[in-house]
Amino acid sequence: MATFMMHMLVCGGTGCRASASDVLYENLKKEIKEQGLQDDVQVVTTGCFGFCEKGPIVKVIPDNTFYVSVEPADAKEIVAEHAVKGRRVKRLLYVDPVNKEQIADSKGMGFYKKQIRIALRNCGLIDPENIEEYLAADGYEAMGKVLAEMTPEEAIQEMVDSGLRGRGGGGFPTGIKWQIASKVAGDQKYVVCNADEGDPGAFMDRSILEGDPHSVLEAMVINGYCIGATKGLIYIRAEYPLAIKRLKIAIDQAREYGLLGTDILGSGFDFDIEIRYGAGAFVCGEETALIHSMEGERGEPTFKPPFPAQSGYLGKPTNVNNVETFANVPVIYNKGAKWFASIGTEKSKGTKVFALAGKINNVGLIEVPMGITLREVIFEIGGGIKDGKNFKAVQTGGPSGGCLTEKHLDTPIDFDNLIDAGSMMGSGGMIVMDEDDCMVAVAKFYLDFTVEESCGKCSPCRIGNKRLYELLEKIAQGKADKEDLDNLRNLSMVIRDTSLCGLGQTSPNPVLSTMDNFMDEYIAHVEKDNCPAGVCKDLIRYEIIPENCVGCTACARNCPVNCIAGERKQLHTIDQSLCIKCGACLEKCKFNAVAII
Amino acid sequence: MIKLTIDNRTVEVEKGTTIYHAAKKLDIDIPTLCYMNLGDLKIEHKPGGCRVCVVEVEGRRNLAPACATECADGMVVQTHSIRVMNARKTVLELILSDHPFDCLICAKSGQCDLQDMAIKMGVRSIPYQGEKSTYKPDFSPAIIRDMDKCIMCRRCETMCNDFQTVGVLSGVNRGFEAVVAPAFERDLDHSECTYCGQCVAVCPTGALTEVDHTTQLVRDLADPEKKVVVQTAPAVRAALGEAFGMEPGTLVTGKMVAALRRLGFDYVFDTDFAADLTIMEEGAELLDRLTRFLEGDKQVKLPMLTSCCPGWVNFFEYHFPDMRDIPSTARSPQQMFGSIAKTYFADTIDTRRDELVVVSVMPCVAKKYECTRDEFKVDGNPDVDYSVSTRELAMLIKRLNMDFNTLPEEDFDKPMGESTGAAVIFGTTGGVIEAAVRTAYEVHTGKTLEKVDFEQLRGIDGIRSASVDFDGTEIKIGIAHGLGHARTLLDDIKAGRSDYHAIEIMACPGGCVGGGGQPLHHGNPDVIKARQKAIYKEDSGKAIRKSHENPDIIKLYEQFLGSPMSEKAHQLLHTHYFDKKRKEVLLD
Amino acid sequence: MTKIKSLADLRKKKEDLQAKIALREKSDSPEGRVLVKVAMATCGIASGSKDVMEYIADELNKRNIDAIVSQTGCMGYCYAEPTIEVTLPGKEPVVYGDVDVKKADEIIEKYIRNQELVDGIIPVNYQTIENNKEE
Ligand SMILES: Cc1cc2nc3c(=O)[nH]c(=O)nc-3n(C[C@H](O)[C@H](O)[C@H](O)COP(=O)(O)O)c2cc1C
Ligand code: SF4
Ligand code: SF4
Ligand code: SF4
Ligand code: SF4
Ligand code: SF4
Ligand code: FES
Ligand code: FES
């Protein structure tokens, strides 16, 4: 086997693929061959590097050169310069958003500096479609060890000791969950991997499945062995074609290598895995709804108990874990529960993957140790707020989470602290907002999502969220009074208190947390008919400032409803009765003559 | 046993008991809307969806639904704390905020669980106003769906899917748009609905109601050109009293007749008369099949299934069309009555069939549909013009300001008012087959029954079986009520696992006493059992208890029909069945 | 493909495969490892640096020395090609010129293993492209 001197890792995640990283890969291979370097330089497709926004990513090993926004046409130069001459292609290097310096080595990037990659350990490192690379990276070692050397009880104890908590949102201790499922008697048990991932903007599970599918399969086998299940099901949304493709390849390869199937590694233990497809409803990620959906029933939650461990898929004991939870499992056995428990905070061990987004410089997928502060995440990893604006809030936990503010920036992130602060970990969405964001509009945005995604089974969620949304709309239109604010709060509390499943129980969080932290903004909308951030359309006006207007006509030419009048070199005016508040004039005016009033 | 504290009082309950039931033990009433428990009928519905039953459980973050939360040792529960009351009222206000304020003209008004709750909670205004759901009302021949009034309790789904296994109704769409509807949001008439009406029977609101014929009826009664004949089904008399505050199980046969007369019907007859006729035909058919079978005829279809329940007929036409040669071809009593009334009786009073209006009072919703079937019309004129439910009759009586309680007891008119005890028990599960056995036994053996009560055929279990000794020949009988139970028996027949000779099937829980047109039982299964008891009481009080001994029936055969299964009988009293599965395919 | 039948099988398989990705895993955590950069520009390849690089990589592997071997552009010492730059953990980089296979062997044994300096060091104030980048 050839030992390559240089590896070019080309991101093959969904994000980078969307910008033709697959073509780039082919081009690189072709160029390498043309230079006769095919025995020296290996070109590999890997999973996501987490830096999708600047994709496609190419990382060159061993010097760790991190190329961003690489186009297929850049292949020639990369090979000619970097592979042949050993010179980095500077124009493709990442530029630090703060000090505008080019950074060559990915380890020098703030984005990666504070990350610890456990669940994402193989993403951007190995070829997810090649089981041999996974095997080379300690793959299936944990499974082998557990099957050969540990009793189910010992293996479960290791999980308990590691302190791993579910990454799907609830944060339930995984070891305890396995323990419960192992103790329930059942002729057939099931292991289910929850890959529904419905949070808007979340893609951690997708990235893991695309970048390291075998780690999830391996963990599921271990889980099966621990609880006495021989069947595994992966419930994945059909909108994840690449993840599905790679999972299928991985399952086939694992079967071929005898790592799935009967008598795995001569242990006498049988386990196999099937894929089930979800229609992509958010609520189908809730475990009971997920199980009903797999059974062919309407995907709506049912009251717990019974928990899936008692009566799950087809009424059999079922253990449901999230993709990221599973991805942590093999490492825990390889490096030990103690090692894992040494990372993180007292009650939240290990790391968490977040999808960092919003008004931030480095958007992407990050994995950080529990206990890191929001400040570190936003200002170091995230590179601070875009365009030098001011930080206003950060929404964690997706639509079920809350908005945290300046005063929470130094709170160590873990399951319990986030809840105490009025938000939650959720599956790991993290959206940063700046001074231009209106918190009423933010709450409305999330409610819009929940209203759409509620299953409609229970009254508070089905009707209550709709009414919450309507109240927020009323506020955003400046039509609300103070009593509406009281109603908004009472309704939020009742929905939280009375809803059947986690969706309704958390849906008012964006409202409550914005009310708690930004009451002044709500009051401004209600009492002064004013949207301080200048977002709520009904409360703002675009006006032309006479002192600044030079009569360039740019605004008038770009107004879609032609409501701006004015001769060349004359003062222009906006007819407010016709203006649809699209903001085109503001955008086009080069003289700062259009303002939001 | 589990010990817990509810509202500062301790109570001991068995493991698995819910907070709702534990509270009940202490006479603490926790309001419910979606919860439904039909006890012996083995129907428990606890989706935990409405959330009006929430209570506070110490140590829990959220409020817990009392109907679905199991008690645990040491639990401390507050059922009416301020937090609970506020939440409960807010939830109710939310439900009402998406509900039309139609109480004044709503068919359910006065018997509506939602209305009751609004009164109880003292709702005076709805702080949460907003968009309301609007759906196109769905009018079928028997049932009206007005989903604007649906509160998503999903009881109808449980009846239709779990109990009846018809599977017409299910939750569709998400969020605020979620609603219960037939697949692809078709209307009921284009679904596989059997019109059993069990969804109507449990719907707490006016979302599901029967088609109303009382307006038409009043018009017909007022029309001097028309002769209006009424027939009343056996189960009606065992339930009608409930609408006037009487105990469930009170028999009101005489008062009912008096009321009908005062309503202005020209003839007050009894469907029981036709039930006796049904036994003559169905019994003869059974004996015919049995005799041929015992003689070794391999072609003969056994078991024979009863055919007097139109819900059941619809069911096998949709779900088991390939087995439609097994049920008896005898028409239901309602239809036998209609066809005799518009021929034999019309002749006796010298009236044309189109001048005669035949109205039935039925415990049933499916009967409304049954009388619209084309095969029961002559030149477009139906044998039974329309059918009103027990509930509609009660409404009419109230509307005419009659004091039902003080009405005298009166007798049915002749000739179609004469009936036997065998006919009465048609109203309960097991009754039709018991009536058939009484006649078939005597006809087959030529002996007189010592004891006409066949206790082994009675009861409330969903599927029952018994054997009756026909003088040395053992006849195996199966009984099912509820279409889910019927399905089990049919699957057995299909798979060749069935050794029954005859099977009685009724679509409704308990048979017609639990029919979809009866006064609402509001989730109390004891009501159905009490009606059943009343039916057997009426039977045992009858002078004649075997159909073939009904003198007017004997006369009818002598003067008009000849003998059971005669050609005339076939033409007027028998029918044929359709493969509705195919119709369904053609429609799409 | 034959099935993996036991844990021992699995481990053997892994050993066989490990080299495939070793370079990537190592480069991810270079602390504590020896870095060897071989000048591999056109002048380097012409003067045989490719052979040298392969030799060094193989030998380090064989001798169980945890090191990362990579190539770099022309170091500007064409007169002394092939050149290699060796960085021992915690030390300043040292550049050797005119490295052939024999010389490489000596560097590995003496400098890398025992930290004894070897002849052929190109005197200070050298520049690699790394330091060059701000020009
Ligand atoms: C509305 C709702 C949506 C959810 N969506 C997901 C999801 O997309 N993925 C997931 O893993 N868990 C989701 N969950 C959590 C699951 O119910 C369940 O707790 C989780 O899969 C358990 O795995 P874990 O213990 O590994 O976190 C959701 C929960 C709720 C209430
Ligand atoms: S809370 Fe919402 S999503 Fe959950 S069961 Fe109720 S209606 Fe469905
Ligand atoms: S369903 Fe009930 S609450 Fe609604 S309009 Fe009818 S009677 Fe009134
Ligand atoms: S009438 Fe019967 S079959 Fe039809 S929808 Fe209602 S429950 Fe289902
Ligand atoms: S139609 Fe009636 S029974 Fe069915 S869900 Fe709606 S309110 Fe409940
Ligand atoms: S059981 Fe009786 S009430 Fe029910 S559908 Fe049949 S005939 Fe009608
Ligand atoms: S998809 Fe390429 S970095 Fe995420
Ligand atoms: S009665 Fe308990 S939730 Fe409806």
Side-chain angles (χ1 to χ4, degrees):
Chain A
M1 183 181 27
T3 316
F4 296 100
M5 297 294 161
M6 176 185 269
H7 296 206
M8 286 188 178
L9 310 181
V10 184
C11 177
T14 293
C16 291
R17 282 241 163 156
S19 327
S21 73
D22 44 348
V23 182
L24 170 64
Y25 168 83
E26 294 300 334
N27 288 1
L28 283 171
K29 276 202 100 133
K30 205 174 82 213
E31 292 296 330
I32 295 285
K33 198 154 178 210
E34 262 168 34
Q35 298 286 350
L37 293 174
Q38 63 271 27
D39 293 330
D40 303 295
V41 183
Q42 185 192 22
V43 188
V44 190
T45 303
T46 69
C48 172
F49 286 84
F51 216 60
C52 324
E53 219 206 19
K54 295 242 160 42
I57 305 294
V58 175
K59 187 173 174 183
V60 182
I61 303 292
D63 53 33
N64 275 323
T65 306
F66 199 81
Y67 290 128
V68 297
S69 308
V70 187
E71 287 174 18
D74 296 328
K76 199 175 180 90
E77 190 178 348
I78 292 177
V79 172
E81 279 298 302
H82 202 146
V84 175
K85 298 190 189 141
R87 286 203 292 244
R88 288 171 164 139
V89 182
K90 287 189 192 166
R91 65 177 180 87
L92 294 174
L93 293 174
Y94 167 73
V95 178
D96 186 291
V98 182
N99 57 22
K100 308 290 175 220
E101 268 177 36
Q102 282 185 338
I103 299 178
D105 188 324
S106 61
K107 272 184 294 302
M109 291 165 63
F111 185 72
Y112 287 110
K113 258 185 203 157
K114 294 225 160 168
Q115 294 200 38
I116 298 183
R117 291 166 85 92
I118 298 176
L120 300 177
R121 64 193 177 282
N122 289 328
C123 291
L125 182 75
I126 63 167
D127 177 356
E129 297 186 12
N130 184 349
I131 190 173
E132 298 205 333
E133 297 215 340
Y134 183 66
L135 288 171
D138 285 339
Y140 291 101
E141 166 78 18
M143 179 188 92
K145 208 159 70 180
V146 170
L147 293 187
E149 296 166 2
M150 294 172 108
T151 63
E153 292 72 31
E154 287 165 351
I156 290 174
Q157 194 55 48
E158 189 78 4
M159 254 358 250
V160 174
D161 293 345
S162 75
L164 175 67
R165 291 169 68 173
R167 303 296 194 237
F172 192 83
T174 307
I176 306 287
K177 201 185 232 182
W178 291 14
Q179 210 157 48
I180 295 169
S182 77
K183 287 193 178 137
V184 179
D187 50 346
Q188 176 69 57
K189 296 186 186 179
Y190 293 94
V191 169
V192 171
C193 171
N194 186 344
D196 189 56
E197 195 164 57
D199 284 29
F203 59 106
M204 23 261 152
D205 295 347
R206 189 192 74 201
S207 291
I208 291 172
L209 292 172
E210 284 175 5
D212 193 16
H214 284 287
S215 67
V216 173
L217 304 187
E218 181 179 1
M220 288 176 74
V221 181
I222 296 175
N223 186 185
Y225 175 74
C226 287
I227 68 166
T230 56
K231 285 198 182 129
L233 299 160
I234 300 175
Y235 183 86
I236 183 166
R237 47 177 47 221
E239 294 100 315
Y240 280 182
L242 187 60
I244 291 171
K245 176 182 153 211
R246 296 206 170 136
L247 264 177
K248 280 188 176 159
I249 294 174
I251 291 173
D252 286 346
Q253 288 179 345
R255 283 187 189 142
E256 202 183 305
Y257 277 67
L259 300 166
L260 279 179
T262 49
D263 192 17
I264 299 172
L265 296 182
S267 64
F269 178 66
D270 306 339
F271 195 85
D272 212 343
I273 294 175
E274 272 177 48
I275 303 179
R276 294 297 167 86
Y277 305 101
F282 175 56
V283 73
C284 284
E286 197 281 336
E287 52 191 6
T288 59
L290 179 149
I291 287 169
H292 296 307
S293 165
M294 289 201 306
E295 291 167 340
E297 309 259 317
R298 179 174 156 88
E300 62 182 27
T302 40
F303 185 72
K304 297 186 275 191
F307 290 94
Q310 300 156 319
S311 171
Y313 182 60
L314 303 177
K316 306 287 185 193
T318 303
N319 184 75
V320 184
N321 274 125
N322 164 261
V323 170
E324 188 186 330
T325 313
F326 277 132
N328 276 291
V329 168
V331 193
I332 291 175
Y333 289 101
N334 284 336
K335 298 201 177 174
K338 224 164 145 183
W339 166 81
F340 189 81
S342 71
I343 303 165
T345 64
E346 195 196 332
K347 286 191 178 151
S348 303
K349 302 299 187 190
T351 56
K352 177 75 192 91
V353 181
F354 289 98
L356 197 54
K359 308 280 183 63
I360 195 162
N361 279 314
N362 295 333
V363 168
L365 202 65
I366 60 167
E367 181 170 355
V368 289
M370 298 275 188
I372 195 169
T373 62
L374 282 167
R375 189 184 299 283
E376 288 170 286
V377 170
I378 295 166
F379 291 95
E380 296 186 32
I381 297 174
I385 308 301
K386 251 189 194 150
D387 303 328
K389 300 247 175 169
N390 286 320
F391 168 80
K392 183 168 189 180
V394 55
Q395 166 95 5
T396 71
S400 3
C403 282
L404 303 176
T405 61
E406 192 83 34
K407 67 174 186 270
H408 301 112
L409 278 180
D410 293 309
T411 312
I413 301 175
D414 71 6
F415 284 106
D416 311 290
N417 286 344
L418 285 180
I419 288 179
D420 290 345
S423 183
M424 60 191 274
M425 185 78 80
S427 56
M430 198 178 272
I431 298 176
V432 178
M433 292 156 219
D434 70 8
E435 51 194 288
D436 292 342
D437 285 306
C438 163
M439 299 321 274
V440 175
V442 165
K444 207 175 93 187
F445 169 82
Y446 285 110
L447 253 299
D448 190 32
F449 177 82
T450 4
V451 167
E452 288 292 314
E453 293 297 330
S454 153
C455 81
K457 179 170 181 172
C458 68
S459 341
C461 174
R462 178 181 71 250
I463 311 170
N465 282 323
K466 174 89 175 171
R467 300 291 174 249
L468 274 189
Y469 178 82
E470 287 165 344
L471 276 171
L472 288 167
E473 201 163 52
K474 208 169 155 191
I475 295 169
Q477 290 169 342
K479 293 182 187 157
D481 53 29
K482 276 211 108 160
E483 205 183 315
D484 288 315
L485 288 184
D486 292 342
N487 287 338
L488 189 65
R489 182 177 288 278
N490 178 59
L491 192 50
S492 297
M493 311 268 262
V494 170
I495 293 171
R496 191 166 74 172
D497 230 7
T498 58
S499 287
L500 190 156
C501 85
L503 192 149
Q505 286 162 10
T506 56
S507 61
N509 282 350
V511 181
L512 287 169
S513 69
T514 49
M515 282 186 100
D516 285 345
N517 294 312
F518 300 95
M519 196 56 186
D520 49 330
E521 275 190 46
Y522 277 88
I523 297 205
H525 283 76
V526 170
E527 289 188 347
K528 303 199 194 97
D529 288 357
N530 172 26
C531 174
V535 172
C536 296
K537 279 194 177 173
D538 292 296
L539 302 183
I540 58 166
R541 245 171 333 137
Y542 288 90
E543 279 201 4
I544 295 177
I545 305 165
E547 301 86 76
N548 293 0
C549 177
V550 298
C552 74
T553 73
C555 55
R557 274 181 284 121
N558 284 290
C559 173
V561 291
N562 288 325
C563 73
I564 304 180
E567 294 297 313
R568 223 184 149 65
K569 304 217 166 127
Q570 301 289 313
L571 173 63
H572 282 53
T573 49
I574 299 176
D575 181 346
Q576 295 298 340
S577 65
L578 295 177
C579 173
I580 54 166
K581 293 165 189 168
C582 67
C585 48
L586 178 87
E587 207 176 288
K588 295 289 171 194
C589 179
K590 291 199 187 82
F591 304 95
N592 265 333
V594 184
I596 296 177
I597 308 284
Chain B
M1 292 299 265
I2 281 169
K3 214 169 170 176
L4 69 157
T5 313
I6 302 180
D7 296 349
N8 308 321
R9 292 156 66 196
T10 49
V11 61
E12 265 192 60
V13 293
E14 263 173 58
K15 196 173 176 303
T17 310
T18 59
I19 296 178
Y20 172 77
H21 284 112
K24 208 157 205 178
K25 257 184 119 171
L26 294 171
D27 284 326
I28 298 169
D29 187 27
I30 299 174
T32 59
L33 265 181
C34 65
Y35 179 69
M36 174 176 75
N37 185 358
L38 297 184
D40 289 351
L41 297 167
K42 311 242 164 27
I43 304 167
E44 190 176 19
H45 171 72
K46 45 175 176 183
C50 74
R51 315 307 277 188
V52 300
C53 68
V54 286
V55 295
E56 201 168 340
V57 177
E58 224 175 79
R60 284 206 198 184
R61 205 158 26 102
N62 305 326
L63 298 178
C67 67
T69 309
E70 285 183 12
C71 299
D73 238 337
M75 215 180 218
V76 179
V77 180
Q78 295 294 337
T79 68
H80 287 80
S81 65
I82 287 296
R83 179 173 162 214
V84 166
M85 291 315 292
N86 177 55
R88 212 173 265 164
K89 187 158 181 225
T90 304
V91 168
L92 183 63
E93 285 164 354
L94 283 175
I95 296 173
L96 294 179
S97 78
D98 186 26
H99 195 91
F101 295 159
D102 278 359
C103 290
L104 281 175
I105 51 167
C106 179
K108 253 323 180 354
S109 193
Q111 304 182 56
C112 171
D113 293 352
L114 183 63
Q115 194 183 47
D116 288 352
M117 183 141 329
I119 294 169
K120 195 163 165 189
M121 301 256 215
V123 178
R124 286 289 167 275
S125 65
I126 315 281
Y128 310 105
Q129 300 286 358
E131 186 191 330
K132 289 189 180 189
S133 315
T134 45
Y135 301 93
K136 198 170 100 310
D138 171 9
F139 298 97
S140 73
I143 292 170
I144 302 172
R145 289 173 59 246
D146 178 1
M147 287 300 111
D148 295 2
K149 293 177 185 160
C150 173
I151 57 167
M152 285 292 279
C153 73
R154 321 282 287 273
R155 291 181 185 182
C156 52
E157 267 185 79
T158 292
M159 292 312 283
C160 192
N161 302 341
D162 299 349
F163 186 71
Q164 301 295 47
T165 66
V166 174
V168 163
L169 299 175
S170 59
V172 298
N173 303 340
R174 309 213 146 260
F176 192 68
E177 268 85 52
V179 70
V180 176
F184 312 112
E185 292 184 72
R186 289 198 206 150
D187 44 18
L188 267 191
D189 204 21
H190 292 100
S191 75
E192 300 191 350
C193 173
T194 67
Y195 299 125
C196 73
Q198 280 309 309
C199 50
V200 176
V202 298
C203 180
T205 70
L208 294 174
T209 52
E210 70 271 35
V211 168
D212 181 287
H213 287 301
T214 55
T215 311
Q216 179 65 39
L217 176 54
V218 168
R219 260 183 220 158
D220 286 339
L221 288 170
D223 186 343
E225 301 294 306
K226 285 183 175 157
K227 289 214 160 62
V228 190
V229 174
V230 68
Q231 54 160 323
T232 66
V236 177
R237 65 207 65 180
L240 182 63
E242 291 162 29
F244 302 96
M246 298 181 190
E247 276 301 302
T250 311
L251 276 171
V252 294
T253 322
K255 289 187 192 302
M256 173 182 75
V257 173
L260 289 167
R261 218 161 258 139
R262 278 156 189 69
L263 279 172
F265 284 101
D266 297 292
Y267 300 93
V268 180
F269 288 147
D270 198 353
T271 313
D272 286 13
F273 171 81
D276 279 330
L277 191 55
T278 303
I279 289 302
M280 297 306 288
E281 294 297 324
E282 199 170 282
E285 193 183 347
L286 174 64
L287 273 183
D288 175 56
R289 289 203 211 177
L290 261 181
T291 321
R292 276 163 44 212
F293 174 75
L294 294 175
E295 285 165 357
D297 182 347
K298 293 271 178 288
Q299 299 299 99
V300 63
K301 296 281 182 188
L302 278 181
M304 190 184 81
L305 311 178
T306 58
S307 58
C308 45
C309 165
W312 149 237
V313 170
N314 286 336
F315 181 71
F316 73 71
E317 286 184 327
Y318 276 120
H319 294 266
F320 294 90
D322 46 330
M323 292 168 77
R324 66 188 190 278
D325 52 352
I326 310 182
S328 159
T329 57
R331 293 185 191 178
S332 72
Q334 164 174 279
Q335 294 309 137
M336 285 200 184
F337 183 98
S339 101
I340 295 299
K342 287 211 172 169
T343 52
Y344 171 73
F345 176 68
D347 287 348
T348 42
I349 57 165
D350 223 4
T351 307
R352 287 199 327 269
R353 69 177 288 138
D354 55 324
E355 293 166 343
L356 200 64
V357 180
V358 175
V359 180
S360 69
V361 182
M362 292 283 145
C364 181
V365 173
K367 298 277 183 196
K368 286 178 185 285
Y369 159 78
E370 186 187 34
C371 59
T372 68
R373 291 179 74 129
D374 285 338
E375 60 273 27
F376 300 140
K377 289 177 185 161
V378 175
D379 300 331
N381 178 281
D383 291 347
V384 175
D385 290 84
Y386 46 86
S387 166
V388 298
S389 67
T390 314
R391 286 194 296 271
E392 286 169 87
L393 174 61
M395 251 159 23
L396 260 184
I397 293 172
K398 287 179 186 167
R399 212 178 290 167
L400 264 79
N401 208 16
M402 266 180 247
D403 180 3
F404 190 77
N405 288 276
T406 59
L407 284 177
E409 313 259 332
E410 294 180 6
D411 277 336
F412 287 106
D413 292 322
K414 291 229 162 213
M416 296 180 74
E418 185 66 67
S419 71
T420 71
V424 172
I425 55 176
F426 263 60
T428 166
T429 168
V432 176
I433 207 74
E434 182 172 338
V437 164
R438 287 180 194 174
T439 292
Y441 179 92
E442 294 199 351
V443 175
H444 181 73
T445 63
K447 293 183 185 164
T448 306
L449 272 175
E450 309 263 304
K451 188 171 170 295
V452 295
D453 295 307
F454 288 85
E455 294 292 343
Q456 69 266 46
L457 299 174
R458 302 181 180 180
I460 195 81
D461 286 347
I463 296 178
R464 305 193 298 284
S465 58
S467 53
V468 177
D469 180 11
F470 267 37
D471 209 16
T473 313
E474 185 179 278
I475 303 299
K476 298 199 73 172
I477 288 166
I479 296 163
H481 58 113
L483 296 171
H485 298 128
R487 181 185 290 278
T488 309
L489 292 186
L490 286 177
D491 283 339
D492 282 349
I493 297 173
K494 225 176 176 169
R497 284 191 299 258
S498 180
D499 58 355
Y500 293 120
H501 297 107
I503 298 178
E504 177 205 284
I505 295 174
M506 292 286 162
C508 295
C512 299
V513 284
Q518 295 280 58
L520 300 172
H521 51 65
H522 290 284
N524 181 3
D526 294 340
V527 169
I528 294 173
K529 285 200 280 182
R531 293 175 193 161
Q532 193 182 27
K533 239 171 141 177
I535 291 271
Y536 284 119
K537 194 173 135 206
E538 170 120 328
D539 166 35
S540 62
K542 282 268 188 183
I544 309 174
R545 299 183 64 195
K546 294 170 240 167
S547 297
H548 56 284
E549 291 173 1
N550 182 332
D552 284 334
I553 290 287
I554 297 171
K555 209 188 285 164
L556 175 69
Y557 276 105
E558 281 170 6
Q559 295 179 349
F560 187 64
L561 292 168
S563 64
M565 311 260 288
S566 68
E567 208 184 307
K568 188 147 203 172
H570 257 292
Q571 185 199 334
L572 293 174
L573 306 179
H574 288 257
T575 184
H576 50 280
Y577 306 112
F578 299 86
D579 180 349
K580 290 200 179 163
K581 224 176 209 168
R582 210 163 292 144
K583 167 193 137 191
E584 201 55 27
V585 174
L586 286 176
L587 273 173
D588 282 328
Chain C
M1 166 42 54
T2 49
K3 293 203 180 225
I4 304 175
K5 294 211 178 66
S6 67
L7 181 55
D9 249 17
L10 176 76
R11 287 187 172 150
K12 197 177 155 292
K13 182 109 206 158
K14 176 185 151 191
E15 239 151 62
D16 295 347
L17 293 168
Q18 214 153 23
K20 269 186 96 130
I21 64 159
L23 192 61
R24 296 177 222 163
E25 289 195 316
K26 282 178 198 161
S27 76
D28 232 27
S29 49
E31 306 78 18
R33 290 204 171 96
V34 180
L35 294 173
V36 181
K37 286 185 182 167
V38 182
M40 278 262 292
T42 339
C43 43
I45 291 175
S47 53
S49 58
K50 197 169 166 213
D51 295 340
V52 172
M53 183 170 177
E54 256 158 38
Y55 175 80
I56 294 175
D58 280 353
E59 286 305 304
L60 287 171
N61 238 352
K62 274 187 212 154
R63 298 178 204 184
N64 256 335
I65 296 170
D66 208 1
I68 298 171
V69 183
S70 67
Q71 89 238 67
T72 171
C74 174
M75 290 184 187
Y77 309 107
C78 301
Y79 61 89
E81 289 284 298
T83 46
I84 68 171
E85 179 195 282
V86 182
T87 316
L88 297 183
K91 301 224 167 162
E92 287 296 310
V94 176
V95 180
Y96 293 92
D98 295 316
V99 182
D100 56 10
V101 168
K102 206 169 137 249
K103 186 87 187 174
D105 175 65
E106 198 187 344
I107 294 170
I108 293 172
E109 266 318 296
K110 293 199 171 149
Y111 183 62
I112 297 182
R113 219 197 259 287
N114 298 321
Q115 305 186 11
E116 297 166 18
L117 287 184
V118 181
D119 278 354
I121 297 183
I122 294 180
V124 280
N125 83 359
Y126 67 88
Q127 285 193 318
T128 70
I129 59 158
E130 289 310 298
N131 313 52
N132 256 338
K133 77 176 172 202
E134 241 70 67
E135 66 191 358

